[in-house]
Amino acid sequence: MKKILMTLVAVLATVSMNAQWYVGGSVAFNAESTQKNAGDRSETTFKILPEIGYQLNDEWAVGAVIGYQSNKFAGITSTIDGFGNNVAESAFTFNPYARYTFLNAGKVNLFVDGGVEFTTFSKQDCTALGVGFKPGLSVSLTDNLSFVSHVGFIGWKTVNPDGDDNNYNNFGLDLSGANLTFGLYYNF
């Protein structure tokens, strides 16, 4: 039993010496609109996504994003007001992930985050769930500061609004502006 305990302590000490915490976050902005003959609608989304993570080694990290988003709709008939009036909606997002860095070229790293995204909306009885991958780029500006960007989403998403037979499912690659984020990380 002592040998097992000592081995676990040695492994944890080795992992801790090579590990590094990071904190930071990203922001995202997306605006969409259509003209009168296409529905005369608009949607504006703003996201603020604080993040904390733990760098296990040069290739692997684990972390979580806990964020807030604000959506503003115009001309969309919704379950919030039942009419095409201007509507505001906010949402809370939780996204745990594992990050794999597949290219380390000095100060530039290319990585992919694999994880689960859970979002719940404030005014509507609506939840969204996604499972997939987000490719990204990290550039070390200094020893402790990095610029990070995520571009796109590859995977499955479902939105479950209140009511029967109105779920929305999507599987595939999404390179829209809704999946583009920019941020800064501070590495301890």
Side-chain angles (χ1 to χ4, degrees), residues 18-35:
N18 293 332
Q20 187 177 25
W21 286 96
Y22 58 89
V23 295
S26 301
V27 294
F29 176 79
N30 186 47
E32 299 177 28
S33 65
T34 61
Q35 292 181 335

Side-chain angles (χ1 to χ4, degrees), residues 19-23 55 106-109 138-148 184-188:
Q20 187 177 25
W21 286 96
Y22 58 89
V23 295
Q55 188 76 35
K107 294 188 177 280
V108 177
N109 294 321
S138 173
V139 179
S140 295
L141 302 174
T142 67
D143 287 343
N144 293 36
L145 193 63
S146 299
F147 168 79
V148 177
L184 291 174
Y185 287 4
Y186 182 79
N187 303 298
F188 293 98

Side-chain angles (χ1 to χ4, degrees), residues 77-88:
T77 302
S78 74
T79 59
I80 297 173
D81 72 350
F83 304 100
N85 297 327
N86 292 348
V87 176

Side-chain angles (χ1 to χ4, degrees), residues 86-101:
N86 292 348
V87 176
E89 172 71 270
S90 59
F92 169 79
T93 298
F94 178 66
N95 179 8
Y97 64 85
R99 174 173 294 165
Y100 177 72
T101 302

